[in-house]
């Protein structure tokens, strides 16, 4: 615990990198996952059901496998090898985006579909087209979507398998909280591992508190599906 | 009244309308004119097809046969844009009271200042002053229904459809809403409203459409239908009072 209280520079660099990687990953996942989820909820096109099944399957994909696939894409001989991203924070962000996007998309679809059912006649009555209804639905589902993003962040920050494969756990470059805990524990350096573990738990609690705050807010505003 | 105000009265007319589901005709109306001299009230027991008729009139359901005509032509998107509907369960956006009204006004392209003024006058019209910033979903049943009506009126509709807007409300809330409806009617808005409350029909209606089993069993001036119903179905319904 002394490490936390003394503001150990190495420890905080690791925490900061973790937060940076996961926050970036969640933001990118939101930019991809929310429109995709909303489109799946509102549009009717062939292959829609298949896409929903695929998305739900991706949501439960083992992180290690996602790491492996991203590794293969980014490795020197892979299709994106020329970008030389392997063992960089960017590679870790990519892996987490792949992990989190299906979660965001699936939850978005669920929420938007429910809301669309409730709103559809009213919006049609007001002359709002199907396409124009998407931003309306996204905005009115905002509290539920924030919850979805928090869930995605929770998964990203706590994940170890994928980032260790594509990041390589390089000191001062790609060491994040989870990978450091794994490494330091195996080396017997329990102090650093425990300190990081405590911070990770603190983050998890903070995320949960935010989820509660959001749903309390939703209740106060009389929102049922949020 | 609309006719007398020479509001270039457009006509709303139903011709041979049939809605069939699972081989059963849920709605079967051969002719019905909705150009009475004031509010038209649609009355009838549960499942008579009142809501279905309203949805057809508003173009939310395409009939399997026949059509709704306005000004002698089948209902167009332009016609629909001049109609507004208040649903039995008010569907309010998950936003503030003012934002629910602003949503409609913005779509009409009103500039910000004009929208603000309009919102104020609408809130006053519905007795919702001071509630502008409250989340719409936290309103009471009567307030929510009033907001739904105000939002419909914000469209400046030529025709306003209302589906049992007071069925879940106490007498006081009901009275406020009836007054709003009468004021809109006297401004020249065509009112077509579903109710199963005979007293309400007596208070509001210029003419009454009686429905049962998907058919219009009687249509006439309110006094005539209420005091001297011609059909057995209407007589039975009126004798049963509120219960049916
Ligand atoms: N989409 C639908 N599919 C099948 N039956 C329907 C549908 N909508 C309404 N109905 C049936 O049509 C009848 C009339 O419904 P409705 O117009 O809602 O009656 P009400 O006069 O009480 O408003 C009811 O028997 C209802 O079950
Ligand atoms: Mg009904």
């Amino acid at each position: 615990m002394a490490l936390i209280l003394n503001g150990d520079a190495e420890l905080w660099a690791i925490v900061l990198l973790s937060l940076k990687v996961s926050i970036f990953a969640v933001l990118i996942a939101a930019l991809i996952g929310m429109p995709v989820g909303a489109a799946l909820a509102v549009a009717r096109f062939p292959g829609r059901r298949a896409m929903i099944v695929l998305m739900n399957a991706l949501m439960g994909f083992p992180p290690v496998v996602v790491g492996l696939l991203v590794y293969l894409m980014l490795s020197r001989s892979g299709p994106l090898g020329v970008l030389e991203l392997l063992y960089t924070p960017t590679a870790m962000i990519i892996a987490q985006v792949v992990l989190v996007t299906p979660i965001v998309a699936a939850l978005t679809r669920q929420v938007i579909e429910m809301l669309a059912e409730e709103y559809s006649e009213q919006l049609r009555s007001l002359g709002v087209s199907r396409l124009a209804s998407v931003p309306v639905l996204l905005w009115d589902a905002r509290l539920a979507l924030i919850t979805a993003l928090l869930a995605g962040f929770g998964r990203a920050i706590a994940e170890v398998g994928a980032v260790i494969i594509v990041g390589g756990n390089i000191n001062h470059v790609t060491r994040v909280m989870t990978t450091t805990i794994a490494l330091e524990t195996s080396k017997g350096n329990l102090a650093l591992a425990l300190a990081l573990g405590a911070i990770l738990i603190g983050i998890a609690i903070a995320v949960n508190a935010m989820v509660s705050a959001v749903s309390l807010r939703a209740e106060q505003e009389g929102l049922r599906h949020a | 009244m609309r006719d007398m105000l020479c509001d270039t009265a457009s006509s709303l007319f139903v011709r041979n309308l049939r809605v069939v589901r699972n081989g059963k005709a849920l709605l079967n109306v051969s002719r019905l004119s909705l150009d009475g001299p004031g509010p038209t009230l649609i009355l009838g027991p549960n499942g008579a097809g009142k809501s279905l008729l309203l949805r057809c009139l508003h173009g939310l359901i395409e009939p399997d046969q026949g059509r709704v005509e306005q000004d002698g032509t089948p209902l167009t998107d332009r016609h629909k844009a001049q109609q507004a509907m208040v649903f039995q369960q008010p569907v309010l956006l998950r936003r503030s009271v003012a934002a629910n009204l602003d949503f409609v006004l913005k779509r009409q392209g009103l500039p910000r200042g004009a929208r603000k003024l309009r919102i104020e006058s609408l809130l006053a019209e519905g007795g919702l002053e001071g509630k502008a910033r409250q989340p719409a979903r936290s309103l009471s049943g009567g307030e929510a229904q009033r907001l739904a009506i105000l939002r419909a009126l914000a469209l400046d509709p030529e025709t306003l459809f209302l589906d049992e807007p007071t069925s879940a409300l106490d007498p006081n809330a009901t009275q406020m809403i009836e007054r709003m409806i009468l004021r809109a009617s006297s401004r020249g808005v065509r009112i077509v409203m579903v109710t199963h409350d005979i007293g309400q029909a007596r208070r509001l209606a210029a003419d009454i459409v009686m429905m049962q089993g998907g058919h219009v069993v009687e249509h006439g001036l309110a006094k005539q239908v209420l005091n001297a119903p011609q059909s057995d179905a209407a007589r039975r319904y009126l004798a049963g009072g509120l219960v049916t």
Side-chain angles (χ1 to χ4, degrees):
Chain A
M1 286 312 102
L3 286 175
I4 304 179
L5 299 175
N6 295 343
D8 183 83
E10 188 187 348
L11 179 136
W12 287 110
I14 292 170
V15 172
L16 211 66
L17 181 66
S18 290
L19 289 173
K20 227 160 65 181
V21 166
S22 294
I23 287 172
F24 256 108
V26 168
L27 289 179
I28 296 169
L31 287 179
I32 305 169
M34 291 194 332
V36 168
L40 285 172
V42 175
R44 294 287 173 271
F45 53 88
R48 174 178 168 272
R49 280 245 68 88
M51 272 189 78
I52 291 174
V53 170
L54 179 73
M55 199 171 61
N56 288 332
L58 282 175
M59 195 159 63
F61 238 51
V64 180
V65 179
V66 170
L68 180 61
L69 293 176
V70 174
Y71 178 91
L72 291 174
M73 297 290 285
L74 298 181
S75 70
R76 201 154 286 242
S77 51
L80 301 176
V82 285
L83 300 175
E84 302 199 335
L85 289 175
L86 204 59
Y87 305 136
T88 65
T90 308
M92 297 195 291
I93 293 176
I94 293 172
Q96 291 195 349
V97 167
V98 175
L99 280 172
V100 173
T101 303
I103 299 179
V104 174
L107 292 176
T108 301
R109 182 196 67 86
Q110 225 171 28
V111 171
I112 296 295
E113 203 164 277
M114 230 155 50
L115 201 60
E117 196 170 310
E118 185 193 329
Y119 278 18
S120 77
E121 270 203 325
Q122 179 67 69
L123 290 179
R124 271 172 67 206
S125 168
L126 294 174
V128 181
S129 69
R130 223 173 231 280
L131 190 64
S133 72
V134 171
V136 181
L137 294 166
L138 284 173
W139 176 250
D140 276 29
R142 58 201 176 276
L143 292 179
L145 294 180
I146 290 172
T147 308
L149 294 186
L150 287 171
F153 178 77
R155 170 149 161 141
I157 195 102
E159 185 283 321
V160 53
V163 287
I164 209 165
I165 292 179
V166 303
N169 203 18
I170 302 166
N171 209 358
H172 303 305
V173 183
T174 57
R175 290 183 73 176
V176 290
M177 287 190 277
T178 52
T179 60
T180 310
I181 290 173
L183 179 72
E184 296 301 328
T185 305
S186 68
K187 284 194 336 200
N189 182 3
L190 289 182
L192 183 56
L194 278 173
L196 286 169
I199 294 174
L200 207 48
I201 289 173
I203 291 173
I205 291 173
V207 167
N208 268 309
M210 281 190 262
V211 170
S212 304
V214 168
S215 58
L216 183 71
R217 169 85 184 272
E219 213 165 285
Q220 283 164 351
E221 296 195 1
L223 310 185
R224 267 166 298 132
H225 307 316
Chain B
M1 206 177 299
R2 199 166 34 243
D3 297 329
M4 286 177 236
L5 290 173
C6 121
D7 173 22
T8 54
S10 73
S11 66
L12 187 59
F13 192 80
V14 170
R15 197 184 292 279
N16 300 323
L17 200 69
R18 268 172 75 86
V19 174
V20 182
R21 294 282 183 275
N22 308 324
K24 204 168 154 259
L26 298 178
L27 200 60
N28 191 348
V29 177
S30 52
R31 351 175 353 105
L32 177 64
S33 164
L34 293 149
D35 301 308
T40 299
L41 274 273
I42 302 175
L43 212 60
N46 282 331
K50 306 181 296 294
S51 298
L52 225 44
L53 176 61
L54 228 49
R55 286 189 161 84
C56 286
L57 289 170
H58 191 25
L60 291 173
I61 294 180
E62 277 302 316
D64 297 280
Q65 254 181 54
R67 63 195 197 198
V68 175
E69 290 173 6
Q70 192 158 352
D71 314 328
T73 70
L75 211 58
T76 62
D77 283 345
R78 262 201 56 164
H79 291 138
K80 289 181 204 171
Q82 289 167 350
Q83 302 177 337
M85 177 150 169
V86 175
F87 295 85
Q88 191 164 353
Q89 293 287 327
V91 182
L92 297 175
L93 300 177
R94 288 155 166 75
R95 308 172 184 198
S96 72
V97 168
N100 265 273
L101 299 174
D102 202 42
F103 178 77
V104 166
L105 298 173
K106 216 185 258 170
R107 289 180 50 80
Q108 294 173 323
L110 282 187
R112 199 188 177 81
R115 296 205 305 267
K116 237 184 121 190
L117 289 175
R118 189 78 207 284
I119 289 171
E120 264 169 42
S121 80
L122 283 165
L123 290 176
E125 159 73 20
L128 292 174
E129 305 97 329
K131 304 242 173 220
R133 310 195 65 84
Q134 192 174 325
R137 290 281 170 147
S138 66
L139 293 174
S140 74
E143 290 166 345
Q145 197 58 277
R146 260 142 57 207
L147 178 58
I149 295 172
L150 292 178
R151 189 178 55 186
L153 291 174
L155 289 162
D156 254 328
E158 187 184 282
T159 306
L160 176 60
F161 300 111
L162 301 116
D163 197 350
E164 306 200 24
T166 63
S167 62
L169 303 181
D170 66 36
N172 199 22
T174 299
Q175 193 185 42
M176 290 182 80
I177 285 174
E178 289 184 358
R179 285 189 180 145
M180 287 173 77
I181 293 167
L182 285 175
R183 279 197 297 271
S185 176
S186 69
R187 285 197 304 271
V189 180
R190 175 197 280 115
I191 304 286
V192 180
M193 170 167 163
V194 170
T195 185
H196 56 232
D197 178 346
I198 293 164
Q200 182 163 64
R202 205 177 285 282
R203 291 190 293 276
L204 299 182
D207 60 327
I208 288 181
V209 176
M210 273 288 211
M211 289 188 72
Q212 193 180 45
H215 295 271
V216 169
V217 291
E218 192 156 340
H219 181 200
L221 289 175
K223 274 200 199 88
Q224 198 181 314
V225 174
L226 291 172
N227 299 333
Q230 302 295 301
S231 65
D232 279 347
R235 256 196 296 276
R236 272 200 310 276
Y237 183 73
L238 292 170
L242 284 171
V243 221
T244 303

